[in-house]
């Protein structure tokens, strides 16, 4: 038995869902351990495209349990929309469970996210406006609601007596928005309780105990560079997408983790604000976006694109605890004559060259990328299924990345479909 964690090794959208989906085939139990419906995960199986936000992508296989874990934040209406769409596509949700300790995103969290984004001026993060930051803020401030609270009238009433006066003061006095009456929130909570009811795991400890010997796959969202502690703070999300986050958000300890698979695109993308040293604001960047269809699943926003940044990725390997890499979207370079890897940063103020990631992101504007250039392969690799059959130049690119990152690239993805995957021995 090897329990694996799948994490994003860049700024999200690396193709985690595709990798989770193919690894889920070999797992018994899949746990999504952090984030909320800010995530947009795409799986293509048998020419059908499935879009996930909170439901683990392992749900596409029958007879497996899929838990939306304690470290997640759940917006009830978005969750309902997601499961309704999956049901319409014929997906069997029998194995879906929700931790009774997961946090609930309330309407005032979404209002706060929108307000903060609109009034932050230069401090704008470019969030997904799904209320993620405010929900985690309330959790940390110990004024959040847990799924289990929705089913206990007395606790809910007591909690709302503390939460609502605080929330209403902020909503009306700071944001200039309408206040919520307690009756209105209680009615909403009744509605939410109905939405979650078929899935809530009230006997959480028993459930986790009974499944501790399963082959477990921990599914992360976002990516190391969006981690609240290790990412490009403050231009990050509000949870811990790093491998260690799996131990925090799932209910199982770090000793349960055997492998951390860091998913990375053959280039880099980012949505929202924040530094991005290898960003290409030119025709090449536009070309990567067009060929790679780099537009957000959750918000539809065009993704910023750039060459592979091995400086941040080496950092992500370390902070994320990555033991193996799944390299995705290599096929996007099929028509490129040249491909670049950023192997170091040059500080334009001091002339100093470093291969170590500068953790003060406010200095990133003073760094320029130093590239190694590799010839492209100028052929279609989307039908290749064996590593040895990849063109020589594609293998050279992969080998060089492995050498720099100091971890094996064990999976190479050459298209969105499940089948378009190369497993390395
Ligand atoms: P996630 O959030 O990390 O799960 O990634 P997203 O689903 O947001 O974005 C990845 C996109 O790339 C999706 O549209 C996938 O279907 C697609 N994709 C995944 N792997 C590959 C690949 O190897 N090649 C190509 N061309 N597309 C891929
Ligand atoms: P998946 O799981 C890419 C980004 C947002 C913004 C920042 C904070 O599909 O990889 P938030 O709404 O979380 O407060 O936004 O994080 N972001 C993502 N970018 N993929 C994601 O998820 C993301 N989830 C959040 O664009 O910059
Ligand atoms: Mg995504």
């Amino acid at each position: 038995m090897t329990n694996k964690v799948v994490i994003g090794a860049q700024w999200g959208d690396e193709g985690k869902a595709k990798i989770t989906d193919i690894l889920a085939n070999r797992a018994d139990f899949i746990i999504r351990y952090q984030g909320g419906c800010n995530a947009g995960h795409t799986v293509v199986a048998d020419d059908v495209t499935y879009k996930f936000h909170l439901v683990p992508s392992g749900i596409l296989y029958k007879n497996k349990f899929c838990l939306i874990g304690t470290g997640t934040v759940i917006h009830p209406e978005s969750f309902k929309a997601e499961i309704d769409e999956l049901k319409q596509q014929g997906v069997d949700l029998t194995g879906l469970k929700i931790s009774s300790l997961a946090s609930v995103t309330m309407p005032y969290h979404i209002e706060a996210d929108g307000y903060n984004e609109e009034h932050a001026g230069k401090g704008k993060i470019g969030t997904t406006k799904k209320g993620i930051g405010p929900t985690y803020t309330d959790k940390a401030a110990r004024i959040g609601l847990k799924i289990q609270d929705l089913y206990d009238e007395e606790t809910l009433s007591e909690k709302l007596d503390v939460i609502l006066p605080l929330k209403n003061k902020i909503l009306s006095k700071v944001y200039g928005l309408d206040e919520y009456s307690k009756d209105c929130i209680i009615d909403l909570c009744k509605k939410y309780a109905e939405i979650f009811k078929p899935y809530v795991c009230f006997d959480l400890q028993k459930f986790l105990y009974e499944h501790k010997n399963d082959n477990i796959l921990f599914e992360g969202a976002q990516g190391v560079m969006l981690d609240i502690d290790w990412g490009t703070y403050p231009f990050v999300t509000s949870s811990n997408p790093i491998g260690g986050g799996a131990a925090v958000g799932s209910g199982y300890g770090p000793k349960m983790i055997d492998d951390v698979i860091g998913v990375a695109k053959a280039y880099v993308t980012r949505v929202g604000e924040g530094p991005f040293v290898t960003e290409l604001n030119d025709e090449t960047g536009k070309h990567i976006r067009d060929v790679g269809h780099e537009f957000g699943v959750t918000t539809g926003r065009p993704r910023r694109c750039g060459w592979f940044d091995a400086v941040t990725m080496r950092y992500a390997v370390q902070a994320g605890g990555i033991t193996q890499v799944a390299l995705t979207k290599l096929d996007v370079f099929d028509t490129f004559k040249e491909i670049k890897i950023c192997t170091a940063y040059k500080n334009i103020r001091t002339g100093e060259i470093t291969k170590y990631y500068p953790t003060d992101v406010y200095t990133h504007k003073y760094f320029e990328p130093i590239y190694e250039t590799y010839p492209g392969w100028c052929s279609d690799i989307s039908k290749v299924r064996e590593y040895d059959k990849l063109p020589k130049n594609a293998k050279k690119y992969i080998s060089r990345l492995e050498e720099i990152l100091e971890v094996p690239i064990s999976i190479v993805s050459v298209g969105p479909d499940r089948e378009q995957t190369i497993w390395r021995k």
Side-chain angles (χ1 to χ4, degrees):
M1 187 191 78
T2 53
N3 292 337
K4 295 182 170 60
V5 187
V6 175
I7 68 169
Q10 296 161 329
W11 276 281
D13 302 325
E14 300 91 345
K16 294 176 291 294
K18 168 179 167 165
I19 302 301
T20 304
D21 168 72
I22 54 174
L23 293 171
N25 193 13
R26 302 170 181 190
D28 312 306
F29 181 21
I30 300 100
I31 310 178
R32 167 76 183 273
Y33 62 84
Q34 47 70 228
C37 60
N38 47 349
H41 296 170
T42 320
V43 174
V44 184
D46 301 327
D47 289 333
V48 183
T49 300
Y50 301 90
K51 292 193 171 154
F52 300 96
H53 300 283
L54 263 164
V55 175
S57 22
I59 198 77
L60 294 177
Y61 298 95
K62 291 205 171 60
N63 309 321
K64 296 189 194 279
F65 283 108
C66 287
L67 177 70
I68 301 177
T70 296
T72 63
V73 293
I74 313 182
H75 178 239
E77 278 105 353
S78 306
F79 170 75
K80 183 169 179 343
E82 182 177 348
I83 55 169
D84 284 350
E85 196 178 320
L86 291 172
K87 279 183 198 164
Q88 261 183 12
Q89 287 185 290
V91 177
D92 178 2
L93 300 177
T94 314
L96 182 62
K97 302 273 173 203
I98 298 175
S99 164
S100 54
L101 290 175
S103 296
V104 184
T105 294
M106 299 296 286
Y108 48 78
H109 292 135
I110 295 183
E111 283 164 345
D113 201 356
Y115 183 94
N116 294 343
E117 278 294 286
E118 271 154 41
H119 294 84
K122 276 188 175 171
K124 188 172 182 276
I125 309 289
T127 73
T128 57
K129 296 192 183 172
K130 302 287 181 188
I132 305 298
T135 314
Y136 278 114
T137 302
D138 279 4
K139 172 178 156 176
R142 294 152 294 186
I143 53 167
L145 291 177
K146 300 269 178 187
I147 297 278
Q148 64 190 17
D149 300 334
L150 304 173
Y151 301 90
D152 178 346
E153 270 180 41
E154 203 182 315
T155 306
L156 184 64
S157 173
E158 275 174 24
K159 281 198 165 185
L160 289 178
D161 285 341
V162 175
I163 297 168
L164 270 186
L166 291 169
K167 287 290 149 194
N168 278 335
K169 209 172 260 176
I170 297 169
L171 282 170
S172 61
K173 301 268 184 317
V174 181
Y175 299 164
L177 297 171
D178 289 344
E179 296 189 3
Y180 285 93
S181 70
K182 190 173 169 188
D183 286 346
C184 163
I185 294 287
I186 287 181
D187 282 349
L188 275 177
C189 287
K190 282 186 183 148
K191 202 172 102 190
Y192 297 166
E194 281 308 303
I195 294 174
F196 294 134
K197 204 169 169 185
Y199 310 104
V200 184
C201 189
F202 290 104
D203 52 354
L204 188 64
Q205 198 224 323
K206 180 170 176 275
F207 179 77
L208 291 173
Y209 179 82
E210 285 172 354
H211 291 278
K212 69 182 168 58
N213 294 322
D214 282 4
N215 201 342
I216 304 171
L217 182 63
F218 301 89
E219 176 178 3
Q222 289 81 49
V224 176
M225 302 314 293
L226 288 172
D227 186 279
I228 182 105
D229 290 300
W230 297 99
T232 47
Y233 187 90
F235 306 100
V236 293
T237 192
S238 300
S239 63
N240 287 112
I242 54 167
V248 177
S250 67
Y252 292 123
K255 276 198 158 182
M256 295 278 282
I257 298 168
D258 301 297
D259 257 326
V260 179
I261 310 217
V263 186
K265 283 176 189 169
Y267 47 91
V268 178
T269 64
R270 166 160 216 179
V271 205
E273 308 300 318
F276 180 177
V277 173
T278 63
E279 181 170 13
L280 294 165
N281 288 307
D282 58 8
E283 277 308 305
T284 310
K286 188 177 172 302
H287 192 50
I288 295 176
R289 179 158 52 246
D290 291 343
V291 181
H293 304 294
E294 294 297 353
F295 297 89
V297 180
T298 300
T299 59
R301 291 179 289 177
R303 294 171 180 153
R304 299 157 64 193
C305 298
W307 294 118
F308 192 97
D309 182 347
V311 175
T312 58
M313 181 77 188
R314 276 166 55 88
Y315 168 77
V317 166
Q318 189 174 319
I322 293 168
T323 56
Q324 293 176 34
V325 169
L327 188 71
T328 61
K329 297 200 126 176
L330 192 63
D331 55 296
V332 171
F333 283 149
D334 279 358
T335 55
F336 282 59
K337 291 201 171 59
E338 282 188 339
I339 300 160
K340 296 187 183 190
I341 303 173
C342 165
T343 52
Y345 288 177
K346 180 175 179 186
N347 188 322
I348 53 170
R349 289 185 302 179
T350 62
E352 193 192 340
I353 291 174
T354 180
K355 63 176 186 172
Y356 293 102
Y357 172 79
T359 43
D360 179 353
V361 298
Y362 290 97
T363 65
H364 284 200
K365 57 180 177 289
Y366 301 121
F367 287 98
E368 61 183 31
I370 296 187
Y371 289 118
E372 286 178 1
T373 303
Y374 289 85
W377 41 93
C378 298
S379 63
D380 178 4
I381 60 167
S382 67
K383 294 182 186 65
V384 176
R385 300 289 177 268
E386 286 167 49
Y387 187 74
D388 289 343
K389 298 208 169 129
L390 277 173
K392 190 173 82 244
N393 287 348
K395 285 193 280 196
K396 254 192 200 160
Y397 183 67
I398 295 169
S399 298
R400 181 63 183 134
L401 288 180
E402 269 183 328
E403 197 174 68
I404 303 170
L405 301 177
E406 298 178 41
V407 280
I409 295 176
S410 51
I411 299 171
V412 179
S413 172
V414 292
D417 201 277
R418 263 180 193 169
E419 302 303 318
Q420 294 175 296
T421 309
I422 298 168
W423 298 84
R424 292 182 69 195
K425 283 155 209 132

